Amino acid sequence: MAQEIYHPGLRGVIAGETEICRLDDGIQYRGYCLHELSEGASFLEVAYLLLFDELPSEEQFADFLTVINEEQQLPPIIEHMFERIPVHNSPLEVLRTGIGLLSHFDPQPSESLLCAGHTQTIRLMARIPLLIGCWHRSRLGLPVLQPKPELSYISNVYYVITGEVPSSLFERALDVAFVVCAEHEFNPSTYVARIVGSTRCSQYGPILAALDAFIGMSHGGGGDGPLDLLDEVREPSEASKWISQQRANAEFPGFGHPVYQECDPRASILEVECERLARASNRQDMEKLAEEIERVIWEERQLPPNVDWPLCRLFSYLGLDRDLFRPLFAAARVVGWSAHALEQCETNEVIRPRARYRGAVNCRFEPLRMRAD
């Protein structure tokens, strides 16, 4: 029998093949450098690339946009149901409920990923921002807003939540954030999506499963914890003292990553947008503080900033509520989840690993009447 090798948490294990995302030597989406995509492509172009394996032509993009615009509406019962959900529930948990409700109204409820995966993904892309906006505004007692046809997809994401049309600077920053958050290889939620997708269900199954994993406290992505760290340190001059007082194995929100030991490429992309937003909103003080904390944590703990470190500041500069950060991250990541679920389904290989058993063996069974108390 071959020697068993156990990898707790599958850390370092190659658990499958993909053509969607490459993390070695920088991040690539289907062969395209993420830095270049973030600079020159819109989120919808990137979504098309991830789903259809190529960047769209002008005609393809126009058709894609038309379908998304046509799907930007929620069944009336959604708002009715959201009004009855207790307000203590988080927007991320309510988003999961909303997606589950949408699955009951999908015109292809019984179709497998191979038949309806792309069309269901497009419906989810169109409607997830509306779910976030519907819940957020309902809990505040504000009227639920419908998308404006003259606005871009990203502008409508901002509008249905805040009720304001974003400036070109805000739109650009949110678009880049969505591009950066759209995909990241075999993270826990994405791998869950692949597992469920391998069973040939509809696209709603992988997305709901991925979202359940994403809700977990140990799953990164969009967390607002870095804002707490900034609040605790307060002043750049206090950064070194504060960090030196933390225990040796302390975790710092927004720092460290299981893949990146020196630099998370996503963080460097978002830092540029944070600087632009900070200048425009007169928040350079936060950027100076963040820069000093980043320097000290690297010098003293050798931990690089991950995507959450600049992302939470970016969302904060945009005036978004903190508990909306992770739902917005999920709204972007749904494209990556969908692409992976479909890719796994197309392999016609159900994911079914084995386990190393470590419990009792060869126990002697006794009937109930003979068992001692």
Side-chain angles (χ1 to χ4, degrees):
M1 183 176 178
Q3 176 70 31
E4 288 184 343
I5 300 176
Y6 174 44
H7 297 268
L10 300 182
R11 197 60 64 87
V13 172
I14 303 300
E17 294 182 323
T18 182
E19 298 179 358
I20 299 170
C21 183
R22 181 174 183 265
L23 300 185
D24 300 320
D25 302 318
I27 301 173
Q28 294 184 359
Y29 292 173
R30 294 201 183 273
Y32 290 90
C33 172
L34 180 59
H35 277 81
E36 294 181 2
L37 291 173
S38 67
E39 290 177 355
S42 69
F43 169 69
L44 287 188
E45 290 178 85
V46 170
Y48 190 100
L49 169 67
L50 292 172
L51 294 174
F52 298 104
D53 198 17
E54 62 180 2
L55 286 168
S57 65
E58 288 187 358
E59 182 178 353
Q60 290 170 327
F61 185 74
D63 291 341
F64 187 55
L65 184 57
T66 296
V67 176
I68 288 178
N69 289 340
E70 290 174 349
E71 296 289 354
Q72 284 185 317
Q73 53 185 325
L74 296 176
I77 195 174
I78 298 289
E79 184 175 350
H80 176 76
M81 292 296 294
F82 276 13
E83 289 174 350
R84 284 155 178 76
I85 295 177
V87 295
H88 68 262
N89 287 280
S90 74
L92 199 55
E93 292 168 323
V94 177
L95 176 60
R96 175 185 56 191
T97 299
I99 293 174
L101 289 171
L102 287 179
S103 70
H104 298 304
F105 296 91
D106 193 276
Q108 300 168 288
S110 302
E111 298 284 358
S112 75
L113 276 164
L114 296 178
C115 297
H118 284 142
T119 55
Q120 289 177 336
T121 299
I122 291 171
R123 290 188 198 109
L124 285 167
M125 287 177 57
R127 296 172 180 175
I128 283 177
L130 305 186
L131 291 174
I132 297 171
C134 181
W135 167 248
H136 177 62
R137 296 183 69 83
S138 292
R139 66 178 177 170
L140 297 178
L142 299 172
V144 175
L145 299 174
Q146 301 304 314
K148 289 179 176 287
E150 68 272 20
L151 296 181
S152 69
Y153 174 85
I154 287 295
S155 288
N156 268 318
V157 171
Y158 190 83
Y159 171 72
V160 298
I161 292 172
T162 67
E164 300 177 3
V165 176
S167 65
S168 58
L169 180 66
F170 276 28
E171 179 186 8
R172 157 73 185 175
L174 188 56
D175 205 22
V176 172
F178 266 53
V179 168
V180 166
C181 297
E183 162 58 13
H184 202 240
E185 203 221 40
F186 281 17
N187 55 80
S189 57
T190 298
Y191 198 63
V192 167
R194 292 188 72 102
I195 292 172
V196 179
S198 75
T199 67
R200 294 201 171 194
C201 57
S202 77
Q203 190 64 281
Y204 289 91
I207 299 305
L208 287 167
L211 195 53
D212 269 326
F214 185 72
I215 289 173
M217 294 179 63
S218 294
H219 195 308
D224 65 343
L227 293 182
D228 293 329
L229 175 55
L230 289 162
D231 288 340
E232 287 190 42
V233 178
R234 295 186 181 182
E235 297 291 338
S237 59
E238 296 295 318
S240 182
K241 176 182 178 182
W242 187 89
I243 291 167
S244 65
Q245 291 174 343
Q246 308 307 305
R247 65 183 189 279
N249 61 345
E251 295 183 358
F252 300 98
F255 288 86
H257 193 275
V259 174
Y260 306 114
Q261 303 304 312
E262 295 184 0
C263 175
D264 184 336
R266 301 169 298 173
S268 61
I269 293 172
L270 293 178
E271 290 285 357
V272 176
E273 301 304 319
C274 283
E275 291 173 4
R276 292 172 178 165
L277 290 171
R279 286 196 301 268
S281 58
N282 197 27
R283 300 282 297 276
Q284 295 98 323
D285 56 337
M286 182 176 284
E287 285 304 290
K288 291 178 181 178
L289 175 58
E291 182 179 352
E292 181 62 14
I293 291 173
E294 183 178 330
R295 183 190 68 80
V296 174
I297 289 181
W298 175 252
E299 288 183 356
E300 297 194 9
R301 306 297 173 95
Q302 284 71 59
L303 293 173
N306 59 43
V307 67
D308 286 346
W309 182 241
L311 184 62
C312 70
R313 304 198 313 274
L314 185 149
F315 284 154
S316 178
Y317 297 150
L318 294 179
L320 298 165
D321 285 11
R322 290 175 61 161
D323 64 357
L324 297 181
F325 293 1
R326 299 199 76 204
L328 286 168
F329 191 107
R333 182 56 61 84
V334 70
V335 178
W337 290 335
S338 298
H340 277 279
L342 183 58
E343 183 181 60
Q344 184 64 43
C345 187
E346 289 172 340
T347 67
N348 197 30
E349 183 176 8
V350 177
I351 296 176
R352 201 294 187 198
R354 291 293 310 279
R356 171 182 285 181
Y357 180 72
R358 62 177 186 182
V361 296
N362 302 326
C363 297
R364 182 173 177 273
F365 175 79
E366 292 182 343
L368 178 61
R369 66 179 181 278
M370 297 178 62
R371 296 173 208 158
D373 292 337

